[in-house]
């Protein structure tokens, strides 16, 4: 046995490490209970199309920021092409969702498009209509370079 494995074994037997791990696991279990059931499908939702047409000379990429710091790639488009995605709007509360392969509703916090090779650094934020009880307008954008950023209107 070498010194590093002895240190690891001692650390794992430490009351502090055991208490810390127990606290983390308990927090995760409580958070999962608080999150409630996963809602799936489009019942009660209205489709809200997203289209970003690339009018520039290079590839663009569009993404969505989801809850809990995840992002979802909406796609890429060559010059003259379009990124297209189906967003889903809940008229009861104004929330906007993407659906994953299991049809889980994933809350959308923000949308953006940028030059494909540096999408985050060159992004333009896309406004999302969130008025409850309304009919959502489709998001149809034209994207073109504006200085060192991509502008989508």
């Amino acid at each position: 046995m070498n010194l590093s494995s002895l240190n690891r074994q001692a650390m794992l037997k430490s009351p502090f490490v055991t208490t810390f791990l127990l606290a983390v696991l308990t927090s995760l279990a409580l958070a999962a209970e608080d999150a409630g059931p996963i809602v799936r499908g489009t019942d009660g939702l209205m489709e809200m199309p997203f289209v970003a047409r690339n009018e520039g000379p290079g590839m663009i990429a569009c993404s969505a920021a989801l809850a809990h710091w995840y992002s979802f790639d909406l796609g890429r488009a060559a010059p003259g092409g379009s990124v297209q995605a189906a967003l889903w709007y809940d008229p009861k509360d104004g929330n906007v969702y993407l659906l994953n392969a299991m049809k889980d509703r994933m809350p959308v916090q923000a949308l953006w498009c940028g030059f494909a090779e540096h999408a985050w650094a060159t992004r333009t934020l896309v406004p999302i209509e969130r008025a409850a009880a309304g009919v959502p307008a489709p998001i149809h954008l034209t994207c073109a370079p504006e200085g060192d950023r991509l502008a989508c209107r």
Side-chain angles (χ1 to χ4, degrees):
M1 217 179 252
N2 63 29
L3 184 59
S4 117
S5 64
L6 286 174
N7 286 341
R8 234 178 293 143
Q9 287 178 0
M11 185 177 75
L12 290 174
K13 292 179 182 176
S14 159
F16 171 75
V17 171
T18 303
T19 303
F20 174 76
L21 291 174
L22 184 59
V24 167
L25 292 174
T26 302
S27 296
L28 290 173
L30 290 173
E33 285 178 20
D34 290 343
I38 294 173
V39 180
R40 292 191 166 102
T42 60
D43 287 345
L45 302 180
M46 300 171 72
E47 189 170 1
M48 186 174 154
F50 172 89
V51 178
R53 179 158 175 77
N54 183 0
E55 294 293 329
M59 184 79 73
I60 67 167
C62 298
S63 296
L66 306 176
H68 308 296
W69 305 284
Y70 290 100
S71 63
F72 186 86
D73 183 21
L74 297 177
R76 293 173 175 249
S82 296
V83 175
Q84 298 183 27
L87 302 174
W88 295 92
Y89 171 81
D90 188 339
K92 290 183 293 192
D93 56 20
N95 285 324
V96 175
Y97 300 97
L98 280 166
L99 301 181
N100 64 15
M102 301 291 296
K103 301 223 185 278
D104 296 337
R105 294 181 185 181
M106 301 183 301
V108 174
Q109 293 180 338
L111 298 170
W112 71 87
C113 295
F115 300 125
E117 58 278 352
H118 303 289
W120 181 253
T122 61
R123 74 193 178 282
T124 184
L125 292 175
V126 176
I128 304 172
E129 183 180 320
R130 296 185 185 272
V135 176
I139 299 173
H140 287 197
L141 306 168
T142 299
C143 300
E146 193 170 275
D148 61 349
R149 301 184 77 76
L150 185 69
C152 296
R153 296 176 178 91

